[in-house]
């Protein structure tokens, strides 16, 4: 009996999908032969939507492999056509046509939806997104401002120094714990999340940072955990209640922060964002809501990137030794008048003298990065002289397909190879444009220098000061099935409990960060080479 019911339900479902598929093709418009070929599907119409939900970042890769490396595909989804761009040269073409294939309408819709901005605010944000006719607009003004203040120079230095001060304090707490009589234990994933959240938001929001309150930090991560239900918006009071309540708590704490002019004690980033949003008439509660959305960009990717890099280094004793051999000579140790030691780790030296650490970081982002950049087709567009992309469709560029392409990275593409990006390696040339973890073109991540400094500061300090051992006796790689939809880097599902002890020969002394040559950057992407 159960079998008959199951077969009937399945049959009805397949029937509905087929009818919808036919209706879409007949009523809404036939596939133009110049459009990219259809992605293979056995249950038309809904299979891709389910695939995306179930397999997430691995779905485009599985389709790519099924089609034996199709450079571009059309995916018909309920209510939307998606063009999936797999080949690197085509991705570069998409990046060049950044007005016809635009990020801003997607970002505007997503950020206003995610943060719950009022309809009137949505209209302001979505008006003239490219700032045509010399008139200016929220996006056209905010975007270059962010790029300016996050570029190497004095403003970035100040933020980096604030961020490193918070990291330094968190690590001193660990040292204190490790000097105690009982072994010091840390939940690695949660501890990193806490450090990154505090260090990043202190640097951006200044002394009155709302995230100094534990309840706000927790509310933000609760919002991020429930992000999908918030943006889907289906039966919100039932399915998105937790996420919406958490978002409101964070938004209202930002509202109080802004009303009290506390942003004037914060970084140029928050000052600039407040100034431009207010100038276009966005009400204060919605400016506060936009900060909740901004915190997604600020926090969601740095956090797992730092986790994975620490995981990959500590779970590989040879790599740990080799990276220590690079880092130790950069340490400056001085004796104070009272005989105590001060140890200085200068990030500028780390940047120029630790290629293996830099390569391991870049490989971490290649291996764990899974951004699927989305663009909206603003007008019928011909890509690469042959593919028609129809107005209103969406274009997706899944980084994971490029990052897992053996033609670019070689036969060990699936492996984590910390040496892959060393200058001596043959990979160097292919890697610059094939490395998509920070996106590319006009939408290249403006936070990459800040995030890189934060991750490498934390990881380098840990590596020179601490031994980390998993309490289970074995490093077990967490799965990543629950990675959130807002993430560009896979998030670990399981906690990793570690025991921390002080590294032999480095038990004594007070530790400091240094950062002298601000213009020196880690050049991982084409644009920074
Ligand atoms: C490891 C950490 C990070 C990773 C992997 C990362 C990755 C990315 C990627 C892939 C994009 C391009 C999105 C697309 O093409 O659709 C992007 C854009 C962006 N990122 Fe990051 N990001 C990181 C950290 C940060 C930080 C710390 C900030 C803080 C300022 C930031 C701010 C932004 C912004 C504002 C954009 C949008 C670009 C625009 O509007 O022009 N990111 N990021």
């Amino acid at each position: 009996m159960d079998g008959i019911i199951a077969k009937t339900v399945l049959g009805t479902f397949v029937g509905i999908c087929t009818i919808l598929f036919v209706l879409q093709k007949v009523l809404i418009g036939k596939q133009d032969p110049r459009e990219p070929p259809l992605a293979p599907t056995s249950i038309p119409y809904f299979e891709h939507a389910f695939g995306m939900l179930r397999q997430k970042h691995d779905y485009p890769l599985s389709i790519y492999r099924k089609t034996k490396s199709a450079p571009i595909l059309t995916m018909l989804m309920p209510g939307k056509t998606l063009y999936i761009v797999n080949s690197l040269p085509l991705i570069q073409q998409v990046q060049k046509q950044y007005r016809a294939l635009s990020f801003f309408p997607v970002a505007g819709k997503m950020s206003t939806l995610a943060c719950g901005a009022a309809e009137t605010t949505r209209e302001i944000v979505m008006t003239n997104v490219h700032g045509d006719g010399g008139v200016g607009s929220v996006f056209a003004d905010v975007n270059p401002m962010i790029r300016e203040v996050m570029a190497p120079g004095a403003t970035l230095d100040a933020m980096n120094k604030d961020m490193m001060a918070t990291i330094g304090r968190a690590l001193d707490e660990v040292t204190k714990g490790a000097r105690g009589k009982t072994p010091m234990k840390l939940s690695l994933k949660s501890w990193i999340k806490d450090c990154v959240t505090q260090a990043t938001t202190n640097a951006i929001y200044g002394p009155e940072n709302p995230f100094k309150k534990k309840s706000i930090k927790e509310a933000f991560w609760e919002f991020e955990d429930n992000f999908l239900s918030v943006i889907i918006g289906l039966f919100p009071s039932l399915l998105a209640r937790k996420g919406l309540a958490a978002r409101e708590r964070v938004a209202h704490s930002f509202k109080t922060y802004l009303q009290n002019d506390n942003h004037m004690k914060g970084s140029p980033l928050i000052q600039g964002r407040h100034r431009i949003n207010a100038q276009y008439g966005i009400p204060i509660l919605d400016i506060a809501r936009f900060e909740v959305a901004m915190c997604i960009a600020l926090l969601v990717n740095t956090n797992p990137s730092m986790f994975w890099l620490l995981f990959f280094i500590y779970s590989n004793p040879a790599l740990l030794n080799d990276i220590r051999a690079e880092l130790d000579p950069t340490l400056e140790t001085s004796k104070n008048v009272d005989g105590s030691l001060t140890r200085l780790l200068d990030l500028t030296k780390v940047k120029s003298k630790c290629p293996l650490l830099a390569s391991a970081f870049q490989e971490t982002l290649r291996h764990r990065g899974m951004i699927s950049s989305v663009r909206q087709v603003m007008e019928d567009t011909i890509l690469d002289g042959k593919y028609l992309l129809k107005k209103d469709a969406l274009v997706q560029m899944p980084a994971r397909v490029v990052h897992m392409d053996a033609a670019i990275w070689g036969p060990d593409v699936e492996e984590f190879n910390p040496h892959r990006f060393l200058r001596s390696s043959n990979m160097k040339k292919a890697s610059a444009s094939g490395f998509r973890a920070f996106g590319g073109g006009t939408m290249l991540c403006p936070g990459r220098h800040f995030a890189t400094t934060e991750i490498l500061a934390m990881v380098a300090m840990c590596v020179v000061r601490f031994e980390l051992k998993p309490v289970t006796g074995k490093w077990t790689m967490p799965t990543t099935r629950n990675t959130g939809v807002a993430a560009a880097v896979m998030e670990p599902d399981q906690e990793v409990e570690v025991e921390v002890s002080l590294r032999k020969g480095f038990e004594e002394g007070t530790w400091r960060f240094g950062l002298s040559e601000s213009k020196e950057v880690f050049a991982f992407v084409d644009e920074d080479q």
Side-chain angles (χ1 to χ4, degrees), residues 300-301 304-305 365 368-372 399 403 436-438 483-491:
V300 165
N301 300 314
S305 308
L365 288 184
R368 304 277 89 192
M370 34 61 81
I371 179 78
S372 218
H403 285 181
R436 302 277 315 156
F438 289 119
T483 299
V485 280
V489 176
M490 292 177 217
E491 294 170 333

Side-chain angles (χ1 to χ4, degrees), residues 64-193:
Y64 177 65
R65 288 182 174 161
K66 235 189 238 174
T67 59
K68 306 231 170 0
S69 317
I72 182 166
L73 291 164
T74 302
M75 260 189 202
L76 297 177
M77 305 279 267
K80 240 334 162 222
T81 297
L82 275 188
Y83 300 116
I84 310 288
V85 186
N86 294 317
S87 99
L88 191 52
L90 283 185
I91 289 176
Q92 286 158 342
Q93 295 288 330
V94 172
Q95 285 176 180
K96 280 190 191 140
Q97 305 200 44
Y98 61 89
R99 281 172 167 271
L101 308 173
S102 176
F103 176 63
F104 290 155
V106 181
K109 264 181 228 153
M110 274 301 284
S111 59
T112 48
L113 187 68
C115 74
E119 197 50 48
T120 44
T121 298
R122 259 176 235 192
E123 274 165 28
I124 297 173
V125 170
M126 299 304 284
T127 302
N128 190 18
V129 283
H130 293 117
D132 292 328
V135 186
S137 68
V138 176
F139 267 115
D141 291 4
V142 165
N143 192 274
M145 181 282 297
I146 297 182
R147 286 181 191 280
E148 192 185 325
V149 299
M150 300 305 286
T155 53
L156 179 64
D157 283 351
M159 288 186 265
N160 280 339
K161 281 178 184 156
D162 281 350
M163 170 268 287
M164 289 194 293
T166 310
I167 288 184
R169 286 195 294 277
L171 293 175
D172 288 347
E173 282 302 307
V174 177
T175 295
K176 227 188 271 171
R179 282 190 180 136
K181 288 200 178 76
T182 46
M184 160 99 185
K185 297 219 171 99
L186 273 184
S187 305
L188 196 58
K189 180 175 125 166
S190 311
W191 175 68
I192 288 172
K193 193 184 246 189

Side-chain angles (χ1 to χ4, degrees), residues 103-104 107 139 143 146-147 150 200 204 269 273 294 297-299 301-303 305 361 365 371-375 397 436-440 442-448 450-452 454-455 488-489:
F103 176 63
F104 290 155
F139 267 115
N143 192 274
I146 297 182
R147 286 181 191 280
M150 300 305 286
T200 309
I204 306 300
L269 180 67
R273 285 173 56 81
M294 181 66 194
L298 278 174
L299 300 171
N301 300 314
T302 305
N303 166 43
S305 308
F361 172 55
L365 288 184
I371 179 78
S372 218
S373 302
V374 182
R375 306 291 180 256
M397 297 167 278
R436 302 277 315 156
F438 289 119
T442 50
M443 292 307 129
L444 178 67
C445 174
R448 65 195 182 282
F450 180 83
T452 299
E454 181 167 17
I455 293 162
V489 176

Side-chain angles (χ1 to χ4, degrees), residues 337-457:
V337 277
D338 63 357
S340 64
L341 299 179
T342 299
R343 300 180 193 267
L344 180 83
L345 181 73
D346 188 333
L347 257 286
T348 311
K349 282 196 186 153
V350 173
K351 283 177 189 175
S352 56
K353 302 214 180 319
C354 302
L356 181 57
L357 174 64
S359 171
F361 172 55
Q362 198 172 356
E363 174 70 347
T364 300
L365 288 184
R366 180 197 71 86
H367 200 269
R368 304 277 89 192
M370 34 61 81
I371 179 78
S372 218
S373 302
V374 182
R375 306 291 180 256
Q376 183 167 326
V377 186
M378 307 300 283
E379 61 205 44
D380 282 5
T381 302
I382 301 290
L383 188 67
D384 201 29
K386 47 181 180 269
Y387 298 109
L388 169 68
L389 309 183
K390 281 190 176 166
K391 183 173 183 300
D392 293 334
L394 293 177
V395 173
Q396 269 205 19
M397 297 167 278
R400 193 145 167 79
V401 170
V402 179
H403 285 181
M404 287 292 134
D405 187 346
I408 299 176
W409 307 101
D412 69 343
V413 65
E414 306 263 350
E415 307 298 317
F416 174 83
N417 171 2
H419 301 92
R420 193 182 301 277
F421 290 90
L422 287 175
R423 285 207 177 272
S424 53
S425 141
N426 294 336
M427 274 303 117
K428 193 65 203 170
K429 213 158 166 264
S431 65
S433 45
F435 179 71
R436 302 277 315 156
F438 289 119
T442 50
M443 292 307 129
L444 178 67
C445 174
R448 65 195 182 282
H449 301 299
F450 180 83
T452 299
T453 304
E454 181 167 17
I455 293 162
L456 292 181

Side-chain angles (χ1 to χ4, degrees), residues 473-491:
K474 191 168 160 254
W475 289 99
T476 307
M477 181 113 163
T479 56
T480 58
R481 271 189 290 277
N482 301 325
T483 299
V485 280
V489 176
M490 292 177 217
E491 294 170 333

